[in-house]
C-alpha cells in the first residue's frame, strides 16, 4: 500500500510540475516534458515480462524466508556466519515483500500472480547460499535482458530501481559463500525464455487464477561436472581445501591457502578461480516435450535443429565453442578463454563469475540488446556455470 501511494504522489507531483521548465535543458530525451508517468504494462510483452518478474519476486521471498527458518542459528554459525549475517537474510526477505507489492501494484491486484509453492535442492546452509546466489543471478540477468525492450519506460524505471537491490542481494550471497563478490566488469542479461527455463523447475504449484507465463521453456541442460563453491568448502575446519581449478581436474589440498578460500568474507582475492579456460565440460540435455513448471502445465519445446555449438553468455559477450563428442543427448565442449573485457589490462576476464551456457544449432552473432535473436536457435539450456 505504501508503494501504491508513493506511485500516486509521484504521478501527481510530476503532473503539477508539467508547466515548469528548466532554463537549461538539452533538446531530446524521452518523457521529460511533464507527461504524467504510467507505471503499468503497455503491451502483452510488458505484461508477460512483469508477470515473469513477479513470479521471480515470489520465489525469492519464499526462499529467503524458508532458508532463514529451516536452519538454526547454530547451523548458520557453523557455516561461518555471525548473527548480523543471519539478520541480513531476514532483511532480504522483507525487501522481497516490497518488490512483490510493487509489481502487484503495477500489474493490478486482479491480474497479478499470487505466491506459489516451491521445491528447493538443498539441505544445508552452504547449499542454501549456493542456490540463492543462482536464483538471484538468473532473476537479475532475466530482468537486465528485458528492461530495454519494454514499451513502458516508466515501468522500466521502477523495475530498474528494484533489480539494483536484487543485484546487491546476489552479491551478498556470493560473499556469504566466500566467492569474490563481483569478479566482472559488466553484469549479464539473458532473455525471458532463458529466465523462465531456469525458474520453472522450482515452482510446483500455483493458484489456478495466476496468469499463464507466456514464454518458452527450453529443454533442460545439465553440466555434469560443474563445480560450485560449496564443494571447495570443508566445514570441519572452516577452510576451503580443494583446488580443481587446473584444466586437468587435478585436486591439490591447500590448507590455509587464501587464494582458494571460500569461507564467508567481504572478499577473497581468489586468484585461483573455481575453473579455468581449457577445462573440459560434460553436457547432458533433455529432449523437448518434458512437463515442467507448476501444476504440470508447461511443456519444453525448441525450434532449433541439431546442436552444433555451445553458447557462453557473459558480461557484454556471447561466444561459441564447438559441441563435440555428441552421443544422443550428451556431448562435450571446452571452457573458452576470451581474455579481459575490451582486452584491457586487468584481472577480470570475460569468462568469470556466472556463465549462462546453452546448446545451439548456430553460432549467430548477438550482443546484449538483441539477445532474443538467439532464442530460435536454442536446443537446450541455459545451465549455470560458476567460473569463480
Ligand atoms: C553444490 O555442490 C554441493 C556439494 O557437492 C551439492 O550438494 C549441491 O547440490 C551443489 N549445488 C548446486 C546448486 O549444484
Ligand atoms: C576434496 O577432494 C577429495 C578428492 O577428490 C574429495 O574426496 C573430498 O570430499 C573433497 N573435499 C571437499 C571438502 O570437497
Ligand atoms: C594429475 O597430476 C599428476 C602430477 O602432475 C599427473 O601425473 C596426472 O596425470 C594428473 N592427472 C590428471 C587426471 O590430469
Ligand atoms: C582442514 O581439513 C582438511 C581435510 O579435512 C585438511 O587437509 C586441512 O589441512 C585442514 N586445514 C586446517 C587449517 O586445519
Ligand atoms: C590458517 O589461518 C587461520 C586464520 O587466519 C590461522 O589462525 C591459522 O593459524 C592458519 N593456519 C595455518 C596452518 O597457517
Ligand atoms: C595456493 O594455491 C595455489 C594454487 O594451487 C598456488 O599457486 C599457490 O602457490 C598457493 N599459495 C600458498 C601460499 O600455498
Ligand atoms: C575472475 O576474477 C577474479 C577477480 O578479478 C580473478 O582473481 C580470477 O582469476 C578470475 N578468474 C578467471 C577464470 O579469469
Ligand atoms: C539434470 O539434473 C537434474 C537434477 O540433478 C536431473 O533431475 C535431470 O534428470 C538431469 N537431466 C539430464 C538431461 O541430465
Ligand atoms: C513445439 O512447438 C511446435 C510449433 O509450435 C509444435 O508443433 C509442437 O507440437 C511443439 N512440441 C511440443 C512437444 O510441445
Ligand atoms: C553412446 O551412449 C550409449 C548409451 O549411453 C553408450 O552405450 C555408447 O557406448 C555411447 N557411444 C559412444 C561412441 O560413446
Ligand atoms: C568479447 O570477446 C572478444 C573475444 O572473443 C574480445 O576480443 C572482446 O574484447 C570482448 N568484448 C568485450 C566487450 O568484452
Ligand atoms: C598491467 O597491470 C600490471 C598490474 O597492475 C602492471 O604491473 C603493468 O605495468 C600493466 N601493464 C600495462 C601495459 O599497463
Amino acid at each position: 500500500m505504501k508503494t501504491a501511494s508513493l506511485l500516486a504522489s509521484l504521478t501527481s507531483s510530476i503532473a503539477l510540475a508539467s508547466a515548469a521548465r528548466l532554463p537549461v535543458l538539452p533538446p531530446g530525451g524521452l518523457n521529460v516534458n511533464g507527461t504524467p508517468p504510467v507505471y503499468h504494462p503497455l503491451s502483452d510483452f510488458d505484461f508477460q515480462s512483469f508477470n515473469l518478474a513477479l513470479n521471480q519476486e515470489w520465489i525469492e521471498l519464499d526462499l529467503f524466508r524458508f532458508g532463514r527458518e529451516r536452519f538454526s542459528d547454530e547451523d548458520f554459525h557453523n557455516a561461518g556466519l555471525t548473527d548480523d549475517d543471519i539478520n541480513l537474510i531476514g532483511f532480504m526477505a522483507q525487501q522481497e515483500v516490497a518488490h512483490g507489492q510493487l509489481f502487484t501494484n503495477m500489474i493490478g491486484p486482479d491480474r497479478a500472480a499470487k505466491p506459489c509453492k516451491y521445491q528447493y535442492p538443498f539441505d544445508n546452509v552452504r547449499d542454501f547460499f549456493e542456490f540463492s546466489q543462482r536464483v538471484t543471478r538468473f532473476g537479475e540477468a532475466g530482468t537486465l535482458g528485458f528492461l530495454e525492450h519494454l514499451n513502458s519506460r516508466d515501468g522500466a524505471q521502477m523495475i530498474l530501481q528494484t533489480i539494483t537491490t536484487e543485484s546487491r542481494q546476489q552479491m551478498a550471497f556470493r560473499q556469504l559463500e566466500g566467492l569474490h563478490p563481483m569478479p566482472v566488469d559488466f553484469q549479464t542479461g539473458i532473455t525471458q525464455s532463458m529466465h523462465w527455463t531456469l525458474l520453472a523447475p522450482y515452482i510446483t504449484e500455483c493458484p489456478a487464477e495466476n496468469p499463464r507465463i507466456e514464454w518458452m521453456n527450453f529443454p533442460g541442460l545439465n553440466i555434469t561436472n560443474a563445480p560450485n563453491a560449496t564443494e571447495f568448502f570443508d566445514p570441519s575446519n572452516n577452510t576451503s581445501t580443494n583446488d580443481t581449478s587446473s584444466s586437468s581436474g587435478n585436486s591439490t589440498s591447500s590448507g590455509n591457502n587464501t587464494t582458494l578460500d571460500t569461507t564467508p568474507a567481504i572478499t577473497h582475492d581468489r586468484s585461483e578461480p573455481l575453473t579455468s579456460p581449457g577445462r573440459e565440460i560434460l553436457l547432458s540435455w533433455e529432449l523437448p516435450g518434458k512437463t515442467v513448471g507448476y501444476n504440470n502445465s508447461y511443456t519444453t519445446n525448441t525450434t532449433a535443429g541439431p546442436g552444433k555449438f555451445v553458447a557462453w553468455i557473459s558480461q557484454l559477450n556471447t561466444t561459441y565453442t564447438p559441441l563435440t563428442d555428441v552421443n544422443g543427448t550428451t556431448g562435450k565442449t571446452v571452457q573458452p578463454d576470451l581474455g579481459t573485457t575490451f582486452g584491457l589490462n586487468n584481472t577480470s576476464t570475460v569468462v568469470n563469475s556466472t556463465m549462462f551456457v546453452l546448446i545451439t544449432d548456430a553460432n549467430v552473432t548477438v550482443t546484449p540488446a538483441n539477445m532474443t535473436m538467439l532464442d530460435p536457435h536454442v536446443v537446450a539450456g541455459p545451465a549455470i556455470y560458476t567460473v569463480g
Side-chain angles (χ1 to χ4, degrees), residues 29-325:
L30 291 170
N31 299 354
V32 288
N33 63 357
T35 310
V38 178
Y39 296 109
H40 298 297
L42 296 179
S43 62
D44 290 346
F45 182 95
D46 284 5
F47 173 77
Q48 283 299 341
S49 301
F50 286 40
N51 187 29
L52 176 62
L54 178 54
N55 276 276
Q56 174 75 30
E57 302 299 348
W58 290 143
I59 193 175
E60 288 170 355
L61 170 58
D62 186 85
L63 171 63
F64 302 163
R65 275 189 182 159
F66 176 84
R68 175 66 190 92
E69 287 161 16
R70 164 74 205 279
F71 303 110
S72 67
D73 287 0
E74 193 190 356
D75 291 334
F76 283 111
H77 294 156
N78 288 342
L81 266 66
T82 65
D83 288 340
D84 289 351
D85 297 329
I86 300 170
N87 290 340
L88 176 63
I89 295 164
F91 186 81
M92 291 196 282
Q94 280 308 116
Q95 293 175 321
E96 296 309 322
V97 175
H99 296 171
Q101 185 72 57
L102 174 73
F103 277 100
T104 300
N105 292 347
M106 292 198 296
I107 293 170
D110 295 344
R111 291 183 81 199
K114 307 287 186 298
C116 301
K117 291 183 177 155
Y118 308 93
Q119 59 182 5
Y120 302 126
F122 57 81
D123 55 17
N124 62 59
V125 167
R126 294 277 310 182
D127 285 349
F128 163 52
F129 295 158
E130 170 66 18
F131 183 70
S132 297
Q133 73 94 356
R134 289 177 187 226
V135 168
T136 49
R137 171 61 89 215
F138 64 62
E140 174 190 46
T143 306
L144 294 180
F146 74 61
L147 273 182
E148 169 62 17
H149 300 291
L150 292 175
N151 295 96
S152 173
R153 298 178 68 88
D154 306 330
Q157 177 68 38
M158 290 293 159
I159 300 171
L160 178 61
Q161 290 179 235
T162 308
I163 204 60
T164 308
T165 292
E166 301 212 343
S167 296
R168 292 170 190 205
Q169 294 173 343
Q170 204 278 339
M171 185 178 92
F173 280 114
R174 287 182 61 91
Q175 291 170 313
L176 294 175
E177 209 182 4
L179 293 171
H180 188 289
M182 43 176 171
V184 288
D185 297 327
F186 305 97
Q187 303 301 334
T188 307
I190 59 174
T191 68
Q192 293 98 331
S193 292
M194 295 176 193
H195 179 186
W196 178 220
T197 298
L198 287 164
L199 172 60
Y202 306 113
I203 312 183
T204 53
E205 204 184 314
C206 290
E209 68 269 25
N210 272 15
R212 191 172 169 78
I213 298 173
E214 301 279 4
W215 300 104
M216 283 278 283
N217 289 104
F218 297 123
L221 172 64
N222 286 352
I223 299 174
T224 47
N225 62 343
N228 71 48
T230 295
E231 296 171 59
F232 291 76
F233 180 78
D234 184 350
S236 68
N237 58 18
N238 235 11
T239 307
S240 332
T241 51
N242 275 7
D243 169 24
T244 58
S245 63
S246 67
S247 53
S248 65
N250 250 346
S251 254
T252 53
S253 182
S254 59
N256 251 14
N257 193 330
T258 56
T259 64
L260 306 169
D261 197 353
T262 58
T263 52
I266 290 176
T267 189
H268 291 298
D269 280 351
R270 287 202 51 75
S271 53
E272 282 297 313
L274 298 182
T275 72
S276 298
R279 185 174 191 272
E280 187 174 69
I281 312 296
L282 309 179
L283 301 153
S284 164
W285 61 96
E286 290 162 358
L287 293 171
K290 186 182 172 189
T291 299
V292 290
Y294 57 82
N295 306 355
N296 291 327
S297 53
Y298 297 87
T299 308
T300 61
N301 207 342
T302 170
T303 58
K308 293 194 182 114
F309 297 94
V310 176
W312 299 77
I313 306 177
S314 176
Q315 304 199 43
L316 306 179
N317 244 311
T318 296
T319 194
Y320 299 87
T321 52
L323 176 65
T324 62
D325 302 272

Side-chain angles (χ1 to χ4, degrees), residues 332-351:
K332 294 179 183 173
T333 197
V334 170
Q335 182 174 327
D337 182 1
L338 301 187
T340 58
T341 54
F342 302 112
L344 295 174
N345 180 26
N346 60 28
T347 55
S348 178
T349 50
V350 174
V351 179

